[in-house]
Amino acid sequence: MRLPVSSDIYWRAITEGCHIGYYRGERGGKWVVRYRKPGGGKGYTKIRIGEADDVRDADGEIVLDWKQAQTKAHEWFDDQARGGVKPAGPFTVAAALDEYTASVKARTGAIPTDMRSRVEEIIKPVLGHHEVANLTQKIIGDWHEARANSPARLRTKRGAEKQNERSVDDKKLCESGAPPPTGT
């Protein structure tokens, strides 16, 4: 069934706030997409993403079949969800933490010292190189396990060459209620 020539757009919801549309003009159809921010912001942002393959064969760039139009629409929806910013490369845990600490500093005027030390000394050295999209429950679980089995960190004098630590066995003794060994 061919749709009649019309300036009306036939919309199909992809997800809430994300729609792909088709309209048929005299010289063939066009694919359009529209996006509304979660929470129902005011109105939609709408663009044309390509021509439909009604008259010419799809090339994946300018002339799109249904599947290609969906792929291009999803890419555009993802860009819109990120505020219209396309990622420059892999988005790592380190980059995510940098953005988060920058947003905390912008909101509060400073980054809390304990947050900075946790990010720089505990999280980034082990997880910083991982791409956020590739994090798995196993990666996070292994990291938690390693943290739980590592020596407890103790207060260390500013500028000290080595971090004071309590051995893992001492840590377990303290958790069991036994007094810590002397000399720590």
Side-chain angles (χ1 to χ4, degrees), residues 61-121:
E61 296 285 325
I62 297 169
V63 182
L64 309 171
D65 63 20
W66 169 241
K67 187 174 180 181
Q68 293 165 340
Q70 286 182 22
T71 300
K72 200 164 188 174
H74 280 285
E75 290 170 2
W76 187 75
F77 295 146
D78 290 345
D79 290 345
Q80 294 305 301
R82 286 190 299 270
V85 177
K86 290 187 178 188
F91 191 58
T92 63
V93 170
L97 290 168
D98 290 344
E99 283 189 19
Y100 179 69
T101 54
S103 72
V104 168
K105 185 174 183 178
R107 283 192 320 270
T108 64
I111 301 169
T113 305
D114 63 331
M115 179 181 150
R116 181 184 318 231
S117 64
R118 284 186 183 110
V119 165
E120 296 298 329
E121 298 171 19

Side-chain angles (χ1 to χ4, degrees), residues 121 151 153-167:
E121 298 171 19
R153 296 168 56 101
L154 303 173
R155 288 183 186 234
T156 303
K157 185 177 179 180
R158 187 182 302 260
E161 291 183 26
K162 186 173 184 253
Q163 171 72 42
N164 285 334
E165 295 179 340
R166 184 177 334 165
S167 73

